[in-house]
Amino acid sequence: TMTSLNATIGNYSNEEMLSLATDIAMTSSTASKVLKIIPLALVMLASIAGNSIVIHAVYADIRMQTATNILIASQSIVDLGTSVLVIPFALISVGCDGWIFRDKFCAANGFFNLFFTQITVLQLVIIAFDRYLVIVRPSRRAIDIKDAMKLAGIAWCVSFVGSFPWLPLLTNRVEVVFFQGFYVCAQRYVQKPLIGLELFSVTVTIGVFAVLPLVLIFYSYYQINKVIHLNRHRVSPVSLSNAQKLAINVYAKSASTSKVVIGTSLLQVFPACFILLLEGLGVGPFPHDFETAVKWIMWCHCVVKPIIYAAKSRVWARVIRSYLVTLPIFSSLIGIDFKIASFSTLANRVKTYRLSKRRRSAQKNLKGRRSNETKTSQLNTERPAWFSNIKQAWMADEQQDNFGSF
């Protein structure tokens, strides 16, 4: 086969060989573009649909207007902005093999990409702080709707200041360029090593939007997990009232949901941001396919969050289902209504199994404690009887001695 293949190739002229190689390269490039465009397009459409539902549900239903849901809606606005103002330009760049717009649009693309990412990180900190106050510091005033709106506004303002392209406007040592692997525009630091404003900007960005948020989030959930563990294991569930049991379960459920949202978001966002920063600093280069993969995974968090809310919250599952069943595509796919409540049912079954396991463990510990108390009480009852028998025998001997002396 190898000999026939070489003979076949030998029959082609140089022009035909060049044309064949060009056709193969174009076919491979087209297949690669399709594999990149289709998943990202699905992510964009699902993100627009899911986050629009969340925003409209909180806005239209007064029962959904709580402090936690205000923060969730703010996150959905950020994800919707990413899906509308950032991802479409990445799709066009994939199809056109590069950036085809003007330099000002590239600067705007880099701003929006960094702006929405920084808001996402800061709002994850606010959500963790909200759960911390409710569970760890219940005696203090919890965050209400006005406080949630103020904190979300502060996050937006701080992110605007941190993501605005100050350095390209103030110095020629930083420029905004298009990164082929990430399909976004970002800042590239021309001069190395970093000095002056560039060093200060990178240090502040890493400290304010990476190190400090991670420290606050990990500290908040360390304290939350410790309080939940103490309430479940060190206090006997039998001795708690029904209201206390319900409060512990509600707080644990809300903390679990927010922990999953924060954990998945951090795992999706930080690797792409870190690699893009290294690329801008001139460290690398990294393979373009690897950069594309981590960036696509990062944008998937815009879709993952509504799915998590629907899977772990009956209220959100009911709300999202009520919106989705109005769309003909979901009811006509297989002739039945689309039901997202199955995710919630599966999660509830897992929770029921875990609660029953904990209940059996608590009952076992209670039985062991009662048996130990029974043994202790038996020893306490046997010891006075033994002492009383000795006392009676001693008194009888003393009476006999007195009788003999008479």
Side-chain angles (χ1 to χ4, degrees):
T1 56
M2 199 67 187
T3 305
S4 61
L5 179 62
N6 292 330
T8 304
I9 294 176
N11 295 328
Y12 288 105
S13 63
N14 292 333
E15 291 79 6
E16 292 173 339
M17 289 289 295
L18 180 60
S19 177
L20 180 61
T22 303
D23 293 339
I24 294 174
M26 291 180 63
T27 303
S28 177
S29 176
T30 303
S32 175
K33 289 179 182 179
V34 171
L35 291 177
K36 292 177 182 178
I37 290 176
I38 292 178
L40 188 59
L42 293 176
V43 168
M44 181 186 69
L45 295 176
S47 175
I48 292 174
N51 290 292
S52 298
I53 290 173
V54 172
I55 295 169
H56 187 267
V58 176
Y59 173 78
D61 192 351
I62 192 173
R63 296 171 298 179
M64 299 291 292
Q65 295 177 4
T66 62
T68 303
N69 288 341
I70 292 295
L71 297 175
I72 292 175
S74 180
Q75 278 277 47
S76 296
I77 294 173
V78 174
D79 296 337
L80 183 62
T82 302
S83 303
V84 173
L85 298 176
V86 179
I87 297 180
F89 292 95
L91 291 173
I92 296 173
S93 300
V94 173
C96 299
D97 291 323
W99 188 259
I100 62 173
F101 304 98
R102 296 180 179 180
D103 294 339
K104 293 183 179 180
F105 284 100
C106 187
N109 178 263
F111 164 73
F112 283 119
N113 179 58
L114 184 60
F115 178 56
F116 292 136
T117 303
Q118 290 180 352
I119 296 177
T120 297
V121 174
L122 293 184
Q123 289 189 339
L124 294 178
V125 177
I126 297 174
I127 293 174
F129 180 67
D130 173 57
R131 296 299 87 193
Y132 172 82
L133 289 180
V134 172
I135 298 174
V136 181
R137 304 291 183 184
S139 58
R140 298 187 179 182
R141 186 176 67 89
I143 296 177
D144 56 14
I145 296 178
K146 292 183 179 180
D147 295 334
M149 297 178 65
K150 291 178 182 178
L151 291 174
I154 292 173
W156 282 70
C157 294
V158 173
S159 300
F160 178 84
V161 174
S163 59
F164 192 82
W166 305 102
L167 292 179
L169 297 176
L170 298 176
T171 178
N172 57 0
R173 298 189 297 268
V174 180
E175 58 184 2
V176 179
V177 297
F178 178 74
F179 288 82
Q180 184 66 34
F182 293 96
Y183 294 100
V184 294
C185 295
Q187 296 181 3
R188 183 187 295 277
Y189 299 87
V190 179
Q191 184 177 354
K192 304 177 189 61
L194 298 179
I195 58 173
L197 290 176
E198 299 90 52
L199 180 61
F200 176 77
S201 176
V202 172
T203 304
V204 171
T205 301
I206 295 175
V208 174
F209 298 102
V211 177
L212 186 61
L214 287 176
V215 171
L216 293 177
I217 289 172
F218 281 118
Y219 174 77
S220 298
Y221 275 94
Y222 170 76
Q223 296 294 332
I224 289 171
N225 291 332
K226 187 167 68 172
V227 170
I228 294 175
H229 178 79
L230 289 175
N231 288 334
R232 282 179 173 175
H233 297 282
R234 292 193 180 181
V235 179
S236 177
V238 179
S239 62
L240 297 177
S241 63
N242 292 330
Q244 290 173 328
K245 294 178 184 178
L246 180 61
I248 292 174
N249 291 332
V250 170
Y251 294 157
K253 182 177 180 180
S254 62
S256 175
T257 303
S258 59
K259 181 168 62 176
V260 172
V261 171
I262 292 173
T264 54
S265 299
L266 293 179
L267 290 176
Q268 290 174 297
V269 170
F270 270 93
C273 295
F274 182 69
I275 295 172
L276 182 58
L277 177 61
L278 293 179
E279 187 78 15
L281 293 173
V283 180
F286 298 94
H288 286 340
D289 292 337
F290 173 72
E291 294 176 346
T292 302
V294 295
K295 192 63 179 178
W296 267 223
I297 293 173
M298 171 183 170
W299 281 331
C300 284
H301 84 277
C302 299
V303 183
V304 170
K305 281 181 280 190
I307 295 176
I308 294 174
Y309 295 137
K312 296 185 71 68
S313 173
R314 292 182 179 179
V315 176
W316 278 111
R318 192 184 311 113
V319 169
I320 293 176
R321 186 177 67 251
S322 65
Y323 279 89
L324 291 180
V325 295
T326 60
L327 301 177
I329 185 173
F330 292 104
S331 58
S332 62
L333 284 177
I334 52 177
I336 58 174
D337 290 338
F338 179 79
K339 293 184 178 181
I340 199 170
S342 58
F343 296 104
S344 179
T345 304
L346 179 60
N348 290 330
R349 289 180 180 177
V350 174
K351 292 176 184 177
T352 303
Y353 171 75
R354 293 175 63 184
L355 289 175
S356 62
K357 188 175 180 181
R358 288 176 185 150
R359 191 179 298 110
R360 288 194 300 267
S361 177
Q363 291 176 354
K364 184 177 179 181
N365 294 332
L366 182 62
K367 289 180 180 179
R369 192 180 306 167
R370 286 179 176 175
S371 62
N372 292 332
E373 292 177 355
T374 303
K375 293 179 181 179
T376 304
S377 62
Q378 289 177 354
L379 291 175
N380 292 333
T381 54
E382 290 176 357
R383 182 174 299 174
W386 181 70
F387 277 114
S388 62
N389 293 334
I390 294 178
K391 184 177 180 181
Q392 291 177 1
W394 178 77
M395 292 178 65
D397 292 338
E398 189 178 16
Q399 290 178 357
Q400 291 180 358
D401 293 337
N402 294 331
F403 179 77
S405 64
F406 285 117

